Amino acid sequence: MNDSPDDVDLEHAPETVLHVGGASPYDVVVGHHLADHLPEMVGDALRVAVICPEALEELVGEVADALVESHPDRDVTVLVVPDGEEAKTAEVANSCWEALGEEGFTRSDVVVTLGGGATTDLGGFVAASWLRGVRVVHVPTTLLAMVDAAVGGKTGINTEAGKNLVGAFHEPAGVICDLSLLETLPRDELVAGLGEVVKCGFIADPEILRLVETTDPDELVASSPVLRELVERAIRVKVDVVVADLRETGGADGHPGREALNYGHTLAHAIERAEDYGIRHGEAVAIGCVFVAELAHRAAGLPREVVDRHRATFARVGLPTTYAGAGFDELLATMRVDKKSRGAVLRFVVLDDVGRPTVLSGPSEEHLREAFAAISGAAS
């Protein structure tokens, strides 16, 4: 008897391989129980440094053992870093560089990141800067990292001035998105990851929005075929954009290129900093996307129904769509040092419609304040 879609055994379903082309091509493997792929991606490297957060110390032991078993002459060093954004500092990066130096890390050796988006950003930056670039393989353990940080080669750390202002473009040698790792992910963390997924729906793939709008949010779990499709679709969106514009120099025919992936991020990063990174990235992105939808409605005529769809879709999966923390003036000061700004001119990725991103340069402060009032509950 043929299995119906609901009866498919995802635990043993074939993995999906998404190829990322360009000057430094690599594969993103999506599926369940993909541990065997890590030794393949690491290859014959005799030294491997696995960077992981404190919360994953038990899992990293299994990873290190597997790497040694696949190559008995291999030396594996585990570098444990703080959890979350606390890892993304110059001090932590320096401690990793010092450890690589002590281990005699050469250009033929490999860094492996095991963790969420912050670990991926940090580990990618360490790999990009050590000897001006050594190979890195990402094993994201959160939904957010799978669809965002692990793919595309952006790396970075934070400074007092803002988030991700120091970094480098450094594409990985491979990415393993093992959905079985999401089985122990706290629900709030999985929901936060959906912020980046829904964002991809608005900027490029309306089918993502349809899937979210027609699926019971409680069914979006690690074993769900819908979640797997959402992950694969979000990664494809990012791959298509990155291949066309790796270094964020702009797209063709008026498309903002890689900047489109920053939809909602200008305000999101400002909120994260204002909250001392106490808010999850995907939560801040959801708020930021609603903000720029409100801004585009006022400044560029985005239809009200598209704005309302932002609120409804993010809220459906449990993400916030309002913010009543820091004030507008504080957030505006942070937004002015956003990476997309040019001199004194603020620039925002906005939509002309679903799937049609563009850049809005120099919106009036009146429109900015009105859009912020609409998400902060201060609108009249």
Side-chain angles (χ1 to χ4, degrees), residues 16 18 30 147 197 200-201 204-211 226-240:
T16 301
L18 305 173
V30 183
V147 301
V197 174
C200 288
D205 186 357
E207 180 62 13
I208 288 176
L209 303 181
R210 189 196 70 79
L211 287 168
V226 177
L227 184 66
R228 176 165 175 170
E229 182 174 355
L230 288 172
V231 169
E232 292 178 3
R233 283 184 172 276
I235 292 174
R236 284 192 180 100
V237 167
K238 187 157 192 180
V239 167
D240 289 345

Side-chain angles (χ1 to χ4, degrees), residues 11 23 34 45 47 51 87 95 127 132 195 203 227 277-278 316 318 322-323:
E11 296 295 303
L34 304 177
R47 295 183 187 85
I51 298 178
S95 70
R132 299 186 178 90
I203 66 171
L227 184 66
Y277 303 103
R316 178 175 175 79
T322 61
Y323 177 71

Side-chain angles (χ1 to χ4, degrees), residues 274-275 323-328 330-331 372:
E275 297 295 328
Y323 177 71
F328 173 77
E330 177 184 346
L331 297 171
F372 184 73

Side-chain angles (χ1 to χ4, degrees), residues 17-31:
V17 179
L18 305 173
H19 183 68
V20 184
S24 302
Y26 59 95
D27 289 333
V28 181
V29 185
V30 183

Side-chain angles (χ1 to χ4, degrees), residues 89 99 127 135 137 153 187 192 198 201 214 253 281 286 294 317 331 346 357 373-374:
T89 67
R135 285 191 300 147
V137 175
R187 182 67 187 176
V198 173
T214 58
D253 302 323
H281 177 69
E294 292 282 2
V317 296
L331 297 171
L346 272 173

